[in-house]
Amino acid sequence: MKILIVGSGGREHAIAWKIAQSPLAEKIYCAPGNAGIEEYAQCVDIGAMEFEKLADFAQEHSIDLTVIGMDDPLVGGIVDVFEERGLRVFGPRKNAAILEGSKAFSKELMKKYGIPTAAYETFEDSGKALEYLETARMPIVLKADGLALGKGVLICRTLQEARDGVKEIMEDKKFGSAGNKLVIEEFMTGREVSVLSFVDGKTIQIMTSAQDHKRAGDGDTGLNTGGMGTFSPSPFYTPQVDAFCRKYIYQPTVDAMAAEGREFKGIIFFGLMLTEEGPKVLEYNARFGDPETQVVLPRMKNDIVEVFEACIDGTLDQISLAFEDNAAVCVVLASEGYPVKYEKGFVIHGLENFKDKDGYYVFHAGTKRTEEGIVTNGGRVLGVTAKGSDLKAARANAYEAVKWIDFDNKYYRTDIGKAIDEA
């Protein structure tokens, strides 16, 4: 099979690495790709939002399967464009990707079908949002309705912080048009867990659990980022939690989307909060998480191409997902100053240290190949992942591997997976 991946980050590098292991994959392309993905795929200079150009490329090169990694093209309707041309593509159509594309939609869906989530209100007028805050209990959570690169959520401890947040999102348009509508929801406490799943429209198959670290600084301080590191599995995701989620969250979500005439095929990412009242949905994503993918796929035993095909064909009930009985930790190496202001273009040293080292991986997120070598080209530069017999061993291995890489302005959190010690 000829396979095209759409995207350019660490998630897409992990997907390319996993696809390359499939005997079904004869030739892999990635648009636009990055310096690390080049090892497994031929990178094509077409942007992820250039739907017609991508579809043209898929037709001209007789692509058998296209895998969409990113949220923007999915929410924008790339799957519809490909399907209209008779091309096989993995990912939800536009009317299903709204599950991630609109937080207001997903909250309303959960309310309608009784899926556990935080209490909320939705606003399109900043004045009414500010008025609501005057009687709301703090802390409170503000969410820009649309896509905001994983950064459109503000946790406000005080009324003044909440007022400022409404102004930033709705009036100053800090997250652009994503802030045209605002969801204000109750602040939930508990452990956060990320669970990825494959869906074929009716059947859902759950992957192993993971936990992300969103904040830029140690101790979960600083600004929200796209993710500074992850570990898998989560020791807090017990068999009891799993059973509850399967009955009250996972399958009900798939059934709800089908009932709404929005059949979902692809990946549903469940962001969960394990509260005292039980698990509740924090958010949905309609694609692989980044950097959760970098710890989940290295532990997955299945041929991922077979799973993609089953999702498209509606035969996922014939697949049995299997994961290694071990653990993985990913530490993101970022550019100093991320997620606000940072410099790019610094040469990365030590990538060769990962060659032929079983259980150690370096996934490229923001890199570029130049005459000087591979250089930094983004806020999140690399994801250093290591496996171990258990979470503590994987964490130790990952932080050992972090030392193998060097570049100017290298920054990373030193406490990824520290929650493991408390489990």
Side-chain angles (χ1 to χ4, degrees):
M1 291 174 70
K2 293 181 182 176
I3 299 171
L4 169 65
I5 302 165
V6 176
S8 60
R11 162 185 50 219
E12 287 76 32
H13 188 175
I15 292 169
W17 166 81
K18 187 67 176 172
I19 287 174
Q21 295 169 32
S22 171
L24 297 171
E26 297 164 36
K27 172 75 176 173
I28 307 170
Y29 298 91
C30 187
N34 64 36
I37 292 172
E38 287 175 356
E39 184 180 345
Y40 306 102
Q42 181 179 325
C43 291
V44 183
D45 189 20
I46 305 175
M49 297 302 288
E50 295 182 279
F51 300 171
E52 299 297 338
K53 282 188 182 178
L54 288 165
D56 288 344
F57 178 88
Q59 286 186 319
E60 288 161 14
H61 290 78
S62 302
I63 299 296
D64 299 295
L65 171 66
T66 299
V67 178
I68 313 299
M70 299 171 67
D71 47 6
D72 282 339
L74 287 169
V75 171
I78 190 170
V79 170
D80 305 66
V81 171
F82 270 60
E83 286 186 346
E84 281 161 17
R85 298 218 201 169
L87 294 162
R88 280 176 74 79
V89 57
F90 176 78
R93 297 183 188 112
K94 184 176 183 176
N95 76 339
I98 193 175
L99 192 64
E100 174 171 10
S102 170
K103 292 183 178 67
F105 169 84
S106 65
K107 294 296 287 190
E108 285 154 18
L109 184 86
M110 287 185 271
K111 179 188 267 186
K112 181 176 178 180
Y113 290 92
I115 297 164
T117 189
Y120 74 99
E121 295 291 340
T122 303
F123 300 90
E124 293 183 47
D125 177 84
S126 62
K128 288 183 177 169
L130 290 166
E131 195 178 302
Y132 172 78
L133 288 176
E134 296 302 316
T135 56
R137 200 168 95 189
M138 299 297 140
I140 206 157
V141 182
L142 309 183
K143 294 183 174 181
D145 177 56
L147 300 178
L149 299 173
K151 305 181 187 101
V153 178
L154 302 179
I155 297 170
C156 305
R157 304 282 171 189
T158 66
L159 178 58
Q160 191 54 51
E161 274 184 29
R163 287 173 181 149
D164 293 343
V166 168
K167 186 174 181 298
E168 277 181 23
I169 294 172
M170 299 194 82
E171 296 175 12
D172 300 342
K173 299 294 183 191
K174 181 178 180 180
F175 305 110
S177 61
N180 290 347
K181 194 182 283 189
L182 178 72
V183 173
I184 301 181
E185 68 177 37
E186 69 168 318
F187 177 76
M188 295 190 290
T189 56
R191 293 282 181 186
E192 282 191 49
V193 177
S194 304
V195 178
L196 298 170
S197 66
F198 291 104
V199 183
D200 73 354
K202 56 186 187 296
T203 299
I204 183 167
Q205 295 275 14
I206 305 303
M207 296 184 233
T208 185
S209 62
Q211 187 172 329
D212 186 16
H213 297 66
K214 281 284 187 192
R215 298 283 182 169
D218 283 358
D220 290 327
T221 58
L223 295 171
N224 254 355
T225 71
M228 292 299 295
T230 45
F231 60 86
S232 174
S234 167
F236 309 105
Y237 188 78
T238 63
Q240 292 81 4
V241 168
D242 180 66
F244 178 94
C245 292
R246 286 174 189 271
K247 184 174 181 180
Y248 296 105
I249 295 175
Y250 303 152
Q251 191 65 50
T253 298
V254 177
D255 295 343
M257 291 296 283
E260 292 293 310
R262 299 173 183 271
E263 181 187 57
F264 194 105
K265 291 188 174 188
I267 300 287
I268 298 182
F269 171 129
F270 296 88
L272 304 173
M273 180 70 83
L274 308 184
T275 74
E276 286 184 0
E277 296 97 49
K280 295 185 180 182
V281 177
L282 271 174
E283 64 173 354
Y284 293 114
N285 291 326
R287 37 72 192 180
F288 279 108
D290 189 347
E292 288 89 351
T293 305
Q294 290 89 302
V295 289
V296 170
L297 290 191
R299 299 184 56 227
M300 182 177 165
K301 292 180 178 180
N302 302 72
D303 180 332
I304 199 167
V305 177
E306 287 182 354
V307 183
F308 289 154
E309 294 268 89
C311 289
I312 296 169
D313 294 334
T315 57
L316 193 58
D317 59 339
Q318 297 171 29
I319 297 278
S320 179
L321 290 186
F323 289 84
E324 295 172 357
D325 183 18
N326 56 12
V329 170
C330 173
V331 179
V332 170
L333 304 187
S335 300
E336 184 74 51
Y338 172 75
V340 183
K341 191 178 178 185
Y342 49 86
E343 292 180 61
K344 299 189 282 191
F346 299 112
V347 177
I348 301 169
H349 304 281
L351 292 168
E352 68 283 354
N353 292 324
F354 287 82
K355 208 77 177 161
D356 302 321
K357 280 208 171 59
D358 191 38
Y360 292 87
Y361 316 89
V362 58
F363 296 114
H364 294 230
T367 65
K368 184 169 73 172
R369 189 177 295 280
T370 69
E371 289 180 5
E372 294 179 325
I374 294 175
V375 302
T376 63
N377 192 45
R380 291 189 295 175
V381 180
L382 301 166
V384 174
T385 297
K387 292 196 286 195
S389 56
D390 58 22
L391 284 164
K392 287 182 182 178
R395 183 171 183 248
N397 290 343
Y399 275 105
E400 180 60 33
V402 160
K403 299 174 189 170
W404 304 346
I405 300 277
D406 194 40
F407 56 85
D408 288 350
N409 288 6
K410 168 182 159 185
Y411 169 76
Y412 59 94
R413 279 182 57 165
T414 63
D415 63 346
I416 301 302
K418 201 173 177 188
I420 297 161
D421 303 329
E422 303 161 25

